[in-house]
Amino acid sequence: MEHAATAVSFKYYFVEFTYLLAGILFIMGLKGLSHPDTARRGMHYAEIGMLMAIIGTLLHRDIVSYEWIIAGLILGGAIGGAISYWVPMTALPQRTALSHAFGAFAAALVGISEYYREGAALGEIKVTALAFEVLLGSLTTTGSLIAFAKLQGLVPGAPMTFKGQNFFNMALLAATVGCFIYLLVTPAAAVAFYIMLGLAFLFGVMLVMPIGAADMPVVMSLLNSYAGLAAAATGFAISNNVLIIAGTLDGFSGFILSVLMCKAMNRSITNVLFGAFGSATDGGGTQAGGEMREVNLEDVATQMAYARQVVFVPGYGMATAQAQHVVRELADVLDERGVTVKYAIHPVAGRMPGHMNVLLAEANVPYSSLYELEQINPDFPNTDVAVVIGANDVVNPDARDNPKSPIAGMPILEVDHAKAVIVLKRGKGKGFSGLENPLFFKENCGMLYGDAKDSLTRLVHAVQQA
Ligand code: NAP
């Protein structure tokens, strides 16, 4: 008897120890992810942390049978493996949205099943945590699914709005929170619980529908933070320490990331959530007149080969073209000729934070060659050629010069201050904000049309011949 009790308490301490270790590894992981040099290591710490959390949970005393868990592990592992293998880097934002939807749905299901099994017997404190978890989990589930659909192009990316929408959404939120508060004082009120559940699902849809696809990364990071808080609430409800730690880390890091992205676009969170940015009715962008000047590839190659300094400005188009390796090749060829090569990185270039850093790191571009906005902008007047590779919004001078522009105030890479600007893009397509870019009409700007990877590959040969 005593022997069995010792074994149980050893198991309990072992599980708690693995959770503590997991929590420490998650924190080390986040710390590592804050710098490109240590990001890979940080990711490994977080992976080991997750393994620890899984091992600890598999030994948990509440587990009575392993069949369903093993089936879930095999199925989930297979789906996760296939997704990470098949989904291209450019589709990462929608993949992340889908993961958030599943994670949040799992948190909501735990809450629903606990309430269904135990009901008011859980007591007021646990019902409060459960209701909070179900509320956030449900709205995050549908919100993330809509974000996924918008990013994947399954529903129109433009904001879908109607008159009085903000008022309707506020009323919906008030009704949902009303049910939540009613449950706190009357934990046995199952009807209030299920109405709250339905309203929260609907609120997730209504919250994300009016937001344009261009703002989806911010929304997702915010939903990520809700999913984290839902997981933390689950932790309180089922007394699980690793869920409390991981959920809180997730919740707050997601929120900080949303704030940082808004700052990089000079927008407020409320403007992102309620501003319907990027709608077809958005005015204020400069209607640039004149012609875009098309340039010849050989001329561009000569210009670059005899330059003192060339700055590459990557954007979303470099990611879709998967041109990062050939950019590196071109940089090497220029470097051999004594040209100084730098890369200018805008914090929201691409479709997710750090998008360009990840791609360039994959192509082994040395971190010391990457320059942030504040560092590189004063250097553009000394730059002979700024090569814009599939970037558009992040180099749009309207943000600086036109106070009426929807992106007014967004910090930009001031490539127009360089002696010459060459823009690599396929045609006259607009950026993600849908705005015209007056840069392309400036005198010092030349357009080199074509797929970025293709143009860069031909440039490598042409520079070698120059
Ligand atoms: P962008 O404004 O979306 O412009 C991308 C450009 O790439 C397009 O104009 C397109 O023109 C060109 N392109 C596409 N495929 C190409 C290919 N295969 N080869 C060559 N060019 C190609 O990109 P960005 O300047 O990187 O700006 C990012 C946008 O996302 C900003 O509006 C930003 O606010 C938003 N955003 C980003 C984040 C984030 O975390 N990174 C978060 C929130 C919002 P063509 O069609 O003519 O080729």
PDB file of all heavy atoms in Angstrom, residues 220-253:
ATOM      1  N   MET A 220      -3.864  37.499 -37.085  1.00  0.00           N
ATOM      2  CA  MET A 220      -3.504  36.150 -36.664  1.00  0.00           C
ATOM      3  C   MET A 220      -2.657  36.157 -35.407  1.00  0.00           C
ATOM      4  O   MET A 220      -2.803  35.305 -34.538  1.00  0.00           O
ATOM      5  CB  MET A 220      -2.737  35.466 -37.778  1.00  0.00           C
ATOM      6  CG  MET A 220      -3.685  34.806 -38.735  1.00  0.00           C
ATOM      7  SD  MET A 220      -2.845  34.473 -40.217  1.00  0.00           S
ATOM      8  CE  MET A 220      -1.308  33.859 -39.572  1.00  0.00           C
ATOM      9  N   SER A 221      -1.779  37.141 -35.348  1.00  0.00           N
ATOM     10  CA  SER A 221      -0.934  37.192 -34.167  1.00  0.00           C
ATOM     11  C   SER A 221      -1.791  37.518 -32.934  1.00  0.00           C
ATOM     12  O   SER A 221      -1.556  37.001 -31.834  1.00  0.00           O
ATOM     13  CB  SER A 221       0.155  38.204 -34.455  1.00  0.00           C
ATOM     14  OG  SER A 221       0.671  38.738 -33.363  1.00  0.00           O
ATOM     15  N   LEU A 222      -2.826  38.331 -33.153  1.00  0.00           N
ATOM     16  CA  LEU A 222      -3.751  38.649 -32.064  1.00  0.00           C
ATOM     17  C   LEU A 222      -4.568  37.405 -31.684  1.00  0.00           C
ATOM     18  O   LEU A 222      -4.751  37.098 -30.505  1.00  0.00           O
ATOM     19  CB  LEU A 222      -4.692  39.767 -32.532  1.00  0.00           C
ATOM     20  CG  LEU A 222      -5.178  40.752 -31.481  1.00  0.00           C
ATOM     21  CD1 LEU A 222      -4.024  41.389 -30.744  1.00  0.00           C
ATOM     22  CD2 LEU A 222      -6.024  41.846 -32.152  1.00  0.00           C
ATOM     23  N   LEU A 223      -5.024  36.659 -32.711  1.00  0.00           N
ATOM     24  CA  LEU A 223      -5.795  35.438 -32.438  1.00  0.00           C
ATOM     25  C   LEU A 223      -4.904  34.406 -31.744  1.00  0.00           C
ATOM     26  O   LEU A 223      -5.344  33.658 -30.875  1.00  0.00           O
ATOM     27  CB  LEU A 223      -6.355  34.854 -33.738  1.00  0.00           C
ATOM     28  CG  LEU A 223      -7.484  35.648 -34.401  1.00  0.00           C
ATOM     29  CD1 LEU A 223      -7.853  35.050 -35.748  1.00  0.00           C
ATOM     30  CD2 LEU A 223      -8.716  35.721 -33.513  1.00  0.00           C
ATOM     31  N   ASN A 224      -3.625  34.411 -32.147  1.00  0.00           N
ATOM     32  CA  ASN A 224      -2.657  33.526 -31.505  1.00  0.00           C
ATOM     33  C   ASN A 224      -2.609  33.832 -30.009  1.00  0.00           C
ATOM     34  O   ASN A 224      -2.588  32.936 -29.166  1.00  0.00           O
ATOM     35  CB  ASN A 224      -1.294  33.771 -32.161  1.00  0.00           C
ATOM     36  CG  ASN A 224      -0.189  32.993 -31.511  1.00  0.00           C
ATOM     37  OD1 ASN A 224      -0.432  31.918 -30.979  1.00  0.00           O
ATOM     38  ND2 ASN A 224       1.018  33.513 -31.562  1.00  0.00           N
ATOM     39  N   SER A 225      -2.633  35.132 -29.722  1.00  0.00           N
ATOM     40  CA  SER A 225      -2.575  35.524 -28.329  1.00  0.00           C
ATOM     41  C   SER A 225      -3.857  35.090 -27.595  1.00  0.00           C
ATOM     42  O   SER A 225      -3.799  34.620 -26.465  1.00  0.00           O
ATOM     43  CB  SER A 225      -2.295  37.027 -28.262  1.00  0.00           C
ATOM     44  OG  SER A 225      -3.215  37.719 -27.534  1.00  0.00           O
ATOM     45  N   TYR A 226      -5.020  35.157 -28.271  1.00  0.00           N
ATOM     46  CA  TYR A 226      -6.270  34.681 -27.640  1.00  0.00           C
ATOM     47  C   TYR A 226      -6.204  33.173 -27.389  1.00  0.00           C
ATOM     48  O   TYR A 226      -6.620  32.679 -26.342  1.00  0.00           O
ATOM     49  CB  TYR A 226      -7.485  34.941 -28.534  1.00  0.00           C
ATOM     50  CG  TYR A 226      -7.800  36.389 -28.801  1.00  0.00           C
ATOM     51  CD1 TYR A 226      -8.630  36.747 -29.850  1.00  0.00           C
ATOM     52  CD2 TYR A 226      -7.292  37.408 -27.999  1.00  0.00           C
ATOM     53  CE1 TYR A 226      -8.932  38.066 -30.119  1.00  0.00           C
ATOM     54  CE2 TYR A 226      -7.586  38.724 -28.274  1.00  0.00           C
ATOM     55  CZ  TYR A 226      -8.401  39.046 -29.335  1.00  0.00           C
ATOM     56  OH  TYR A 226      -8.692  40.352 -29.610  1.00  0.00           O
ATOM     57  N   ALA A 227      -5.661  32.447 -28.411  1.00  0.00           N
ATOM     58  CA  ALA A 227      -5.572  30.994 -28.268  1.00  0.00           C
ATOM     59  C   ALA A 227      -4.681  30.655 -27.071  1.00  0.00           C
ATOM     60  O   ALA A 227      -4.954  29.724 -26.303  1.00  0.00           O
ATOM     61  CB  ALA A 227      -5.022  30.367 -29.536  1.00  0.00           C
ATOM     62  N   GLY A 228      -3.588  31.438 -26.903  1.00  0.00           N
ATOM     63  CA  GLY A 228      -2.681  31.224 -25.779  1.00  0.00           C
ATOM     64  C   GLY A 228      -3.395  31.452 -24.457  1.00  0.00           C
ATOM     65  O   GLY A 228      -3.295  30.647 -23.523  1.00  0.00           O
ATOM     66  N   LEU A 229      -4.161  32.543 -24.394  1.00  0.00           N
ATOM     67  CA  LEU A 229      -4.873  32.833 -23.153  1.00  0.00           C
ATOM     68  C   LEU A 229      -5.940  31.766 -22.874  1.00  0.00           C
ATOM     69  O   LEU A 229      -6.175  31.395 -21.723  1.00  0.00           O
ATOM     70  CB  LEU A 229      -5.521  34.222 -23.216  1.00  0.00           C
ATOM     71  CG  LEU A 229      -4.522  35.390 -23.258  1.00  0.00           C
ATOM     72  CD1 LEU A 229      -5.247  36.717 -23.338  1.00  0.00           C
ATOM     73  CD2 LEU A 229      -3.594  35.384 -22.050  1.00  0.00           C
ATOM     74  N   ALA A 230      -6.563  31.246 -23.957  1.00  0.00           N
ATOM     75  CA  ALA A 230      -7.547  30.172 -23.783  1.00  0.00           C
ATOM     76  C   ALA A 230      -6.852  28.941 -23.206  1.00  0.00           C
ATOM     77  O   ALA A 230      -7.380  28.275 -22.303  1.00  0.00           O
ATOM     78  CB  ALA A 230      -8.207  29.837 -25.119  1.00  0.00           C
ATOM     79  N   ALA A 231      -5.632  28.651 -23.721  1.00  0.00           N
ATOM     80  CA  ALA A 231      -4.890  27.491 -23.214  1.00  0.00           C
ATOM     81  C   ALA A 231      -4.525  27.702 -21.741  1.00  0.00           C
ATOM     82  O   ALA A 231      -4.614  26.769 -20.927  1.00  0.00           O
ATOM     83  CB  ALA A 231      -3.639  27.279 -24.044  1.00  0.00           C
ATOM     84  N   ALA A 232      -4.131  28.941 -21.385  1.00  0.00           N
ATOM     85  CA  ALA A 232      -3.784  29.224 -19.984  1.00  0.00           C
ATOM     86  C   ALA A 232      -5.018  29.014 -19.098  1.00  0.00           C
ATOM     87  O   ALA A 232      -4.924  28.426 -18.004  1.00  0.00           O
ATOM     88  CB  ALA A 232      -3.267  30.649 -19.846  1.00  0.00           C
ATOM     89  N   ALA A 233      -6.183  29.461 -19.586  1.00  0.00           N
ATOM     90  CA  ALA A 233      -7.418  29.281 -18.803  1.00  0.00           C
ATOM     91  C   ALA A 233      -7.722  27.785 -18.653  1.00  0.00           C
ATOM     92  O   ALA A 233      -8.139  27.333 -17.581  1.00  0.00           O
ATOM     93  CB  ALA A 233      -8.583  29.994 -19.495  1.00  0.00           C
ATOM     94  N   THR A 234      -7.466  27.009 -19.730  1.00  0.00           N
ATOM     95  CA  THR A 234      -7.659  25.550 -19.637  1.00  0.00           C
ATOM     96  C   THR A 234      -6.772  25.002 -18.529  1.00  0.00           C
ATOM     97  O   THR A 234      -7.185  24.140 -17.754  1.00  0.00           O
ATOM     98  CB  THR A 234      -7.257  24.855 -20.972  1.00  0.00           C
ATOM     99  OG1 THR A 234      -7.779  25.607 -22.045  1.00  0.00           O
ATOM    100  CG2 THR A 234      -7.739  23.436 -21.033  1.00  0.00           C
ATOM    101  N   GLY A 235      -5.533  25.494 -18.493  1.00  0.00           N
ATOM    102  CA  GLY A 235      -4.590  25.058 -17.464  1.00  0.00           C
ATOM    103  C   GLY A 235      -5.159  25.274 -16.068  1.00  0.00           C
ATOM    104  O   GLY A 235      -5.071  24.395 -15.200  1.00  0.00           O
ATOM    105  N   PHE A 236      -5.758  26.443 -15.845  1.00  0.00           N
ATOM    106  CA  PHE A 236      -6.368  26.717 -14.533  1.00  0.00           C
ATOM    107  C   PHE A 236      -7.545  25.771 -14.285  1.00  0.00           C
ATOM    108  O   PHE A 236      -7.711  25.242 -13.189  1.00  0.00           O
ATOM    109  CB  PHE A 236      -6.865  28.170 -14.464  1.00  0.00           C
ATOM    110  CG  PHE A 236      -5.752  29.139 -14.177  1.00  0.00           C
ATOM    111  CD1 PHE A 236      -5.328  30.047 -15.130  1.00  0.00           C
ATOM    112  CD2 PHE A 236      -5.117  29.139 -12.926  1.00  0.00           C
ATOM    113  CE1 PHE A 236      -4.294  30.934 -14.876  1.00  0.00           C
ATOM    114  CE2 PHE A 236      -4.081  30.033 -12.650  1.00  0.00           C
ATOM    115  CZ  PHE A 236      -3.663  30.928 -13.640  1.00  0.00           C
ATOM    116  N   ALA A 237      -8.339  25.557 -15.352  1.00  0.00           N
ATOM    117  CA  ALA A 237      -9.552  24.751 -15.182  1.00  0.00           C
ATOM    118  C   ALA A 237      -9.217  23.301 -14.868  1.00  0.00           C
ATOM    119  O   ALA A 237      -9.885  22.662 -14.063  1.00  0.00           O
ATOM    120  CB  ALA A 237     -10.404  24.843 -16.441  1.00  0.00           C
ATOM    121  N   ILE A 238      -8.176  22.751 -15.514  1.00  0.00           N
ATOM    122  CA  ILE A 238      -7.891  21.324 -15.277  1.00  0.00           C
ATOM    123  C   ILE A 238      -6.602  21.136 -14.466  1.00  0.00           C
ATOM    124  O   ILE A 238      -6.029  20.060 -14.445  1.00  0.00           O
ATOM    125  CB  ILE A 238      -7.826  20.535 -16.608  1.00  0.00           C
ATOM    126  CG1 ILE A 238      -6.685  21.043 -17.518  1.00  0.00           C
ATOM    127  CG2 ILE A 238      -9.136  20.591 -17.371  1.00  0.00           C
ATOM    128  CD1 ILE A 238      -6.444  20.161 -18.738  1.00  0.00           C
ATOM    129  N   SER A 239      -6.170  22.216 -13.800  1.00  0.00           N
ATOM    130  CA  SER A 239      -4.986  22.200 -12.927  1.00  0.00           C
ATOM    131  C   SER A 239      -3.758  21.635 -13.644  1.00  0.00           C
ATOM    132  O   SER A 239      -3.158  20.651 -13.196  1.00  0.00           O
ATOM    133  CB  SER A 239      -5.248  21.376 -11.667  1.00  0.00           C
ATOM    134  OG  SER A 239      -6.423  21.771 -11.071  1.00  0.00           O
ATOM    135  N   ASN A 240      -3.423  22.224 -14.787  1.00  0.00           N
ATOM    136  CA  ASN A 240      -2.265  21.751 -15.531  1.00  0.00           C
ATOM    137  C   ASN A 240      -1.264  22.901 -15.684  1.00  0.00           C
ATOM    138  O   ASN A 240      -1.518  23.885 -16.375  1.00  0.00           O
ATOM    139  CB  ASN A 240      -2.740  21.232 -16.907  1.00  0.00           C
ATOM    140  CG  ASN A 240      -1.612  20.640 -17.709  1.00  0.00           C
ATOM    141  OD1 ASN A 240      -0.593  21.286 -17.931  1.00  0.00           O
ATOM    142  ND2 ASN A 240      -1.780  19.410 -18.140  1.00  0.00           N
ATOM    143  N   ASN A 241      -0.106  22.744 -15.009  1.00  0.00           N
ATOM    144  CA  ASN A 241       0.852  23.854 -14.945  1.00  0.00           C
ATOM    145  C   ASN A 241       1.483  24.208 -16.287  1.00  0.00           C
ATOM    146  O   ASN A 241       1.709  25.382 -16.581  1.00  0.00           O
ATOM    147  CB  ASN A 241       1.976  23.529 -13.958  1.00  0.00           C
ATOM    148  CG  ASN A 241       1.465  23.641 -12.542  1.00  0.00           C
ATOM    149  OD1 ASN A 241       0.482  24.341 -12.299  1.00  0.00           O
ATOM    150  ND2 ASN A 241       2.080  22.924 -11.615  1.00  0.00           N
ATOM    151  N   VAL A 242       1.764  23.173 -17.121  1.00  0.00           N
ATOM    152  CA  VAL A 242       2.455  23.495 -18.375  1.00  0.00           C
ATOM    153  C   VAL A 242       1.531  24.286 -19.310  1.00  0.00           C
ATOM    154  O   VAL A 242       1.981  25.153 -20.068  1.00  0.00           O
ATOM    155  CB  VAL A 242       3.031  22.231 -19.052  1.00  0.00           C
ATOM    156  CG1 VAL A 242       1.981  21.441 -19.805  1.00  0.00           C
ATOM    157  CG2 VAL A 242       4.178  22.607 -19.982  1.00  0.00           C
ATOM    158  N   LEU A 243       0.239  24.008 -19.229  1.00  0.00           N
ATOM    159  CA  LEU A 243      -0.704  24.779 -20.052  1.00  0.00           C
ATOM    160  C   LEU A 243      -0.751  26.227 -19.585  1.00  0.00           C
ATOM    161  O   LEU A 243      -0.847  27.157 -20.391  1.00  0.00           O
ATOM    162  CB  LEU A 243      -2.107  24.171 -19.969  1.00  0.00           C
ATOM    163  CG  LEU A 243      -2.447  23.102 -21.005  1.00  0.00           C
ATOM    164  CD1 LEU A 243      -3.851  22.564 -20.779  1.00  0.00           C
ATOM    165  CD2 LEU A 243      -2.323  23.653 -22.412  1.00  0.00           C
ATOM    166  N   ILE A 244      -0.673  26.418 -18.273  1.00  0.00           N
ATOM    167  CA  ILE A 244      -0.700  27.797 -17.747  1.00  0.00           C
ATOM    168  C   ILE A 244       0.548  28.547 -18.237  1.00  0.00           C
ATOM    169  O   ILE A 244       0.462  29.660 -18.758  1.00  0.00           O
ATOM    170  CB  ILE A 244      -0.774  27.802 -16.198  1.00  0.00           C
ATOM    171  CG1 ILE A 244      -2.060  27.129 -15.737  1.00  0.00           C
ATOM    172  CG2 ILE A 244      -0.688  29.230 -15.653  1.00  0.00           C
ATOM    173  CD1 ILE A 244      -2.206  26.959 -14.244  1.00  0.00           C
ATOM    174  N   ILE A 245       1.718  27.894 -18.119  1.00  0.00           N
ATOM    175  CA  ILE A 245       2.969  28.570 -18.513  1.00  0.00           C
ATOM    176  C   ILE A 245       2.989  28.824 -20.024  1.00  0.00           C
ATOM    177  O   ILE A 245       3.167  29.956 -20.487  1.00  0.00           O
ATOM    178  CB  ILE A 245       4.211  27.721 -18.136  1.00  0.00           C
ATOM    179  CG1 ILE A 245       4.269  27.491 -16.630  1.00  0.00           C
ATOM    180  CG2 ILE A 245       5.497  28.386 -18.612  1.00  0.00           C
ATOM    181  CD1 ILE A 245       5.333  26.516 -16.194  1.00  0.00           C
ATOM    182  N   ALA A 246       2.763  27.757 -20.807  1.00  0.00           N
ATOM    183  CA  ALA A 246       2.874  27.897 -22.271  1.00  0.00           C
ATOM    184  C   ALA A 246       1.798  28.841 -22.802  1.00  0.00           C
ATOM    185  O   ALA A 246       2.065  29.672 -23.676  1.00  0.00           O
ATOM    186  CB  ALA A 246       2.749  26.527 -22.937  1.00  0.00           C
ATOM    187  N   GLY A 247       0.589  28.718 -22.254  1.00  0.00           N
ATOM    188  CA  GLY A 247      -0.507  29.577 -22.714  1.00  0.00           C
ATOM    189  C   GLY A 247      -0.217  31.041 -22.438  1.00  0.00           C
ATOM    190  O   GLY A 247      -0.448  31.907 -23.285  1.00  0.00           O
ATOM    191  N   THR A 248       0.326  31.326 -21.255  1.00  0.00           N
ATOM    192  CA  THR A 248       0.619  32.717 -20.918  1.00  0.00           C
ATOM    193  C   THR A 248       1.734  33.263 -21.820  1.00  0.00           C
ATOM    194  O   THR A 248       1.643  34.384 -22.324  1.00  0.00           O
ATOM    195  CB  THR A 248       1.044  32.830 -19.433  1.00  0.00           C
ATOM    196  OG1 THR A 248       0.107  32.097 -18.664  1.00  0.00           O
ATOM    197  CG2 THR A 248       1.076  34.255 -18.960  1.00  0.00           C
ATOM    198  N   LEU A 249       2.769  32.439 -22.045  1.00  0.00           N
ATOM    199  CA  LEU A 249       3.864  32.885 -22.932  1.00  0.00           C
ATOM    200  C   LEU A 249       3.324  33.172 -24.323  1.00  0.00           C
ATOM    201  O   LEU A 249       3.628  34.200 -24.941  1.00  0.00           O
ATOM    202  CB  LEU A 249       4.942  31.794 -23.032  1.00  0.00           C
ATOM    203  CG  LEU A 249       5.818  31.551 -21.811  1.00  0.00           C
ATOM    204  CD1 LEU A 249       6.705  30.341 -22.033  1.00  0.00           C
ATOM    205  CD2 LEU A 249       6.683  32.780 -21.529  1.00  0.00           C
ATOM    206  N   ASP A 250       2.489  32.252 -24.816  1.00  0.00           N
ATOM    207  CA  ASP A 250       1.905  32.390 -26.142  1.00  0.00           C
ATOM    208  C   ASP A 250       1.021  33.636 -26.211  1.00  0.00           C
ATOM    209  O   ASP A 250       1.116  34.448 -27.139  1.00  0.00           O
ATOM    210  CB  ASP A 250       1.062  31.127 -26.398  1.00  0.00           C
ATOM    211  CG  ASP A 250       0.714  30.966 -27.852  1.00  0.00           C
ATOM    212  OD1 ASP A 250       1.359  31.614 -28.671  1.00  0.00           O
ATOM    213  OD2 ASP A 250      -0.205  30.183 -28.163  1.00  0.00           O
ATOM    214  N   GLY A 251       0.189  33.786 -25.184  1.00  0.00           N
ATOM    215  CA  GLY A 251      -0.741  34.917 -25.139  1.00  0.00           C
ATOM    216  C   GLY A 251      -0.018  36.248 -25.202  1.00  0.00           C
ATOM    217  O   GLY A 251      -0.351  37.113 -26.010  1.00  0.00           O
ATOM    218  N   PHE A 252       1.019  36.386 -24.377  1.00  0.00           N
ATOM    219  CA  PHE A 252       1.669  37.696 -24.320  1.00  0.00           C
ATOM    220  C   PHE A 252       2.628  37.920 -25.487  1.00  0.00           C
ATOM    221  O   PHE A 252       2.721  39.026 -25.999  1.00  0.00           O
ATOM    222  CB  PHE A 252       2.348  37.910 -22.965  1.00  0.00           C
ATOM    223  CG  PHE A 252       1.321  38.278 -21.944  1.00  0.00           C
ATOM    224  CD1 PHE A 252       0.717  37.317 -21.148  1.00  0.00           C
ATOM    225  CD2 PHE A 252       0.881  39.590 -21.819  1.00  0.00           C
ATOM    226  CE1 PHE A 252      -0.281  37.644 -20.249  1.00  0.00           C
ATOM    227  CE2 PHE A 252      -0.120  39.931 -20.923  1.00  0.00           C
ATOM    228  CZ  PHE A 252      -0.708  38.956 -20.135  1.00  0.00           C
ATOM    229  N   SER A 253       3.317  36.850 -25.943  1.00  0.00           N
ATOM    230  CA  SER A 253       4.220  37.076 -27.069  1.00  0.00           C
ATOM    231  C   SER A 253       3.406  37.415 -28.314  1.00  0.00           C
ATOM    232  O   SER A 253       3.802  38.275 -29.111  1.00  0.00           O
ATOM    233  CB  SER A 253       5.160  35.893 -27.308  1.00  0.00           C
ATOM    234  OG  SER A 253       4.405  34.736 -27.474  1.00  0.00           O
TER     235      SER A 253
END
